[in-house]
Amino acid sequence: MTVYPSRPLVGILMGSDSDLEVLEEAFDALDSFEIPFEVKILSAHRSPHETAAYASSAAERGLRVIIAGAGWAAHLAGVVAGHTTLPVIGVPIDSSPLQGMDALLATVQMPPGIPVATMAIGKGGARNAALFAVQILATSNADLAARFAAFKARMAADVVTKKNKRLEDYLQQRKSGKSS
Ligand code: RP5
């Protein structure tokens, strides 16, 4: 069992406190793998200097991955990626009248040379961002890689056994309802 350092390995950024409910999905997923992380509100538009300073110092402070979630014209992940060599994972947030399509395009359409690994819009994307961060960390940590493999095996077993059992029960009930 690897003992993780207490210093954060993942930085989770959000454009506003109104994004918190979405990013909490990422907190939960990182917690489940015992990955230490830090969380900050930073805005590419409202606090550009602080955002640049955070991203520029992230690698030397020991962070290995940055997750950035934002809504509307969501430039947070892209701006952070411009200021660091760390991998940046973007989460488009559905906080605007365009329901996150604006944030998705602003996050994913990065110019060649500055990639952002863009996840799905909203809570599912936030959870996947954390899982993707775990996968990145697992490339240099055999214990974490084994725990990620076990997590995937549990998901597969859930589909093969529990979900199909529930489906069979439902079909059986449906059939007996029709015959009565
Ligand atoms: C974005 O604007 C934030 O990421 C948030 O999704 C959105 C709205 O922010 P607030 O007006 O709620 O602070 O920058």
Side-chain angles (χ1 to χ4, degrees), residues 18 22 24 28 34 98 113 121 130 149:
S18 59
V22 173
E24 269 173 340
D28 291 344
E34 299 171 329
L98 298 184
I121 298 169

Side-chain angles (χ1 to χ4, degrees), residues 65-79:
V65 189
I66 296 176
I67 294 170
W72 292 70
H75 297 129
L76 181 59
V79 165

Side-chain angles (χ1 to χ4, degrees), residues 14-19 43 45-46 69-72 93 95:
M14 62 191 92
S16 172
D17 54 350
S18 59
D19 300 323
S43 167
H45 305 124
R46 293 168 175 163
W72 292 70
I93 295 183
S95 54

Side-chain angles (χ1 to χ4, degrees), residues 112-166:
I114 309 290
V116 166
T118 304
M119 302 291 115
I121 298 169
K123 288 185 177 182
R127 180 160 289 272
N128 275 351
L131 296 176
F132 198 58
V134 171
Q135 287 179 290
I136 291 170
L137 296 171
T139 59
S140 57
N141 183 322
D143 167 63
L144 189 55
R147 287 192 289 129
F148 196 80
F151 158 76
K152 291 196 75 170
R154 282 196 301 277
M155 266 195 309
D158 196 44
V159 172
V160 172
T161 55
K162 278 195 212 153
K163 286 183 191 294
N164 274 296
K165 176 74 175 68
R166 280 202 293 270

